[in-house]
Amino acid sequence: MDEPRGRLTRDGIRIHEPADFAGMRLAGRVAAEILDAVAPLVVPGVTTEALDDFIRGRVAAAGAVSATIGYRGYRHASCISVNHVVCHGIPGPKALKDGDILNIDVTVIVDGWYGDTSRMYVAGSLNRKAERLIDVTHDALMRGIAAVRPGNTFGDIGHAIQSFVEDHRMSVVRDFCGHGLGRVFHAPPNVLHYGRAGSGPLLEEGMFFTIEPMVNLGRPETKILADDWTAVTRDKSLSAQFEHSVGVTADGCEIFTLSPAGRFHPTWAA
Ligand code: MF3
Ligand code: CO
Ligand code: CO
């Protein structure tokens, strides 16, 4: 392993060097291309393990390494979270039904750099209630990203997301958060998707982290199933999530995981 470069802030957040953006750009693009490539396979009747098998093959074909296989005992190349599953859904033999909505989350390692992104898909036709949830969750992520610039704080990101979601009478999940990343998968800080404007650590150029809000149509509470991974809404309400990996620049941020095919949102299908 190379010695980590850059420095740590008082909060233990790594400040990366300008040259490190290139590594994140490549890892982010590989992850985003895999999410683009799986989209045509998301149809009624397909199993989530078939989607995961495809993703595993694409990770290998890209010359990348899956960050999730072997992570704390997890055995899959993706998390696939259907309907009321909030996150960390385990791919399995159950087939998708018409109208199911799902998040697919992929993290790859390319030349030691981590690219972590997730987005929503629909099997078959998207109903209006689900579409509204997906729209609000996507737009909440983009509001959070719009708050990323040196001088703002992590609380500004959380506040932008929470206020937008709650204005739409939906709820932000508190039990999971975004995270620093770079040459590690999960690093400080915890990137909360709720909070007070001006609170939390200051954003500085060279910080790399994810923003990955989970939004529920009902109440925010979650529980973990007996498999020790699958997080679901306690009230069984529908849940959605989008995730980008970003780096703070001098005047804003760079999104490392933009969709090269322009299909980050399911209604933008190519
Ligand atoms: N990719 C997830 C994240 O956004 C983490 C998945 S860990 C796993 O942080 F083990 F569940 F795959
Ligand atoms: Co993440
Ligand atoms: Co992820």
Side-chain angles (χ1 to χ4, degrees):
M1 251 289 268
D2 298 331
E3 281 299 304
R5 294 187 301 182
R7 63 181 178 88
L8 296 181
T9 68
R10 288 187 311 178
D11 303 293
I13 304 168
R14 184 163 299 284
I15 305 300
H16 298 85
E17 294 180 357
D20 297 338
F21 279 72
M24 290 299 286
R25 205 170 283 143
L26 185 55
R29 186 184 359 131
V30 168
E33 282 172 346
I34 292 168
L35 292 186
D36 285 345
V38 76
L41 281 69
V42 179
V43 292
V46 76
T47 65
T48 55
E49 69 194 359
L51 299 175
D52 187 69
D53 286 343
F54 173 83
I55 289 166
R56 189 185 304 248
R58 295 296 288 225
V59 172
V65 171
S66 167
T68 55
I69 297 173
Y71 177 77
R72 298 183 180 213
Y74 195 77
R75 299 157 56 86
H76 307 272
S78 61
C79 296
I80 304 185
S81 304
V82 183
N83 294 337
H84 76 296
V85 178
V86 173
C87 63
H88 302 163
I90 301 176
K94 205 166 156 196
L96 296 176
K97 303 182 307 297
D98 183 59
D100 281 349
I101 62 165
L102 52 150
N103 174 279
I104 305 182
D105 189 339
V106 170
T107 309
V108 296
I109 312 169
V110 179
D111 298 334
W113 295 98
Y114 284 69
D116 184 7
T117 181
S118 80
R119 62 176 87 148
M120 296 302 293
Y121 300 81
V122 58
S125 49
L126 185 56
N127 72 60
R128 290 224 318 269
K129 203 177 58 175
E131 182 166 9
R132 213 176 131 253
L133 170 66
I134 289 170
D135 284 345
V136 168
T137 308
H138 171 272
D139 293 356
L141 168 61
M142 299 319 289
R143 296 278 180 127
I145 289 173
V148 177
R149 78 181 74 95
N152 272 3
T153 69
F154 280 93
D156 291 322
I157 300 172
H159 177 75
I161 293 168
Q162 181 183 14
S163 57
F164 180 77
V165 168
E166 292 178 354
D167 280 352
H168 289 82
R169 313 184 71 81
M170 298 180 194
S171 65
V172 173
V173 170
R174 313 290 206 270
D175 301 334
F176 301 92
C177 57
H179 48 92
L181 84 173
R183 278 179 296 190
V184 292
F185 195 172
H186 293 111
N190 287 333
V191 180
L192 306 183
H193 304 115
Y194 59 92
R196 238 170 352 96
S199 69
L202 268 176
L203 293 161
E204 293 181 49
E205 186 175 356
M207 290 178 173
F208 297 161
F209 52 88
T210 73
I211 307 178
E212 48 182 299
M214 286 140 275
V215 174
N216 300 346
L217 276 183
R219 294 195 47 81
E221 291 81 12
T222 69
K223 67 175 182 188
I224 310 278
L225 300 187
D227 60 25
D228 278 345
W229 281 105
T230 311
V232 299
T233 55
R234 279 192 175 269
D235 64 4
K236 305 271 172 57
S237 68
L238 217 50
S239 188
Q241 178 179 27
F242 285 87
E243 174 177 27
H244 271 315
S245 297
V246 305
V248 184
T249 60
D251 59 357
C253 76
E254 176 173 347
I255 303 174
F256 298 126
T257 47
L258 289 174
S259 163
R263 61 189 316 168
F264 188 62
H265 185 293
T267 68
W268 302 345

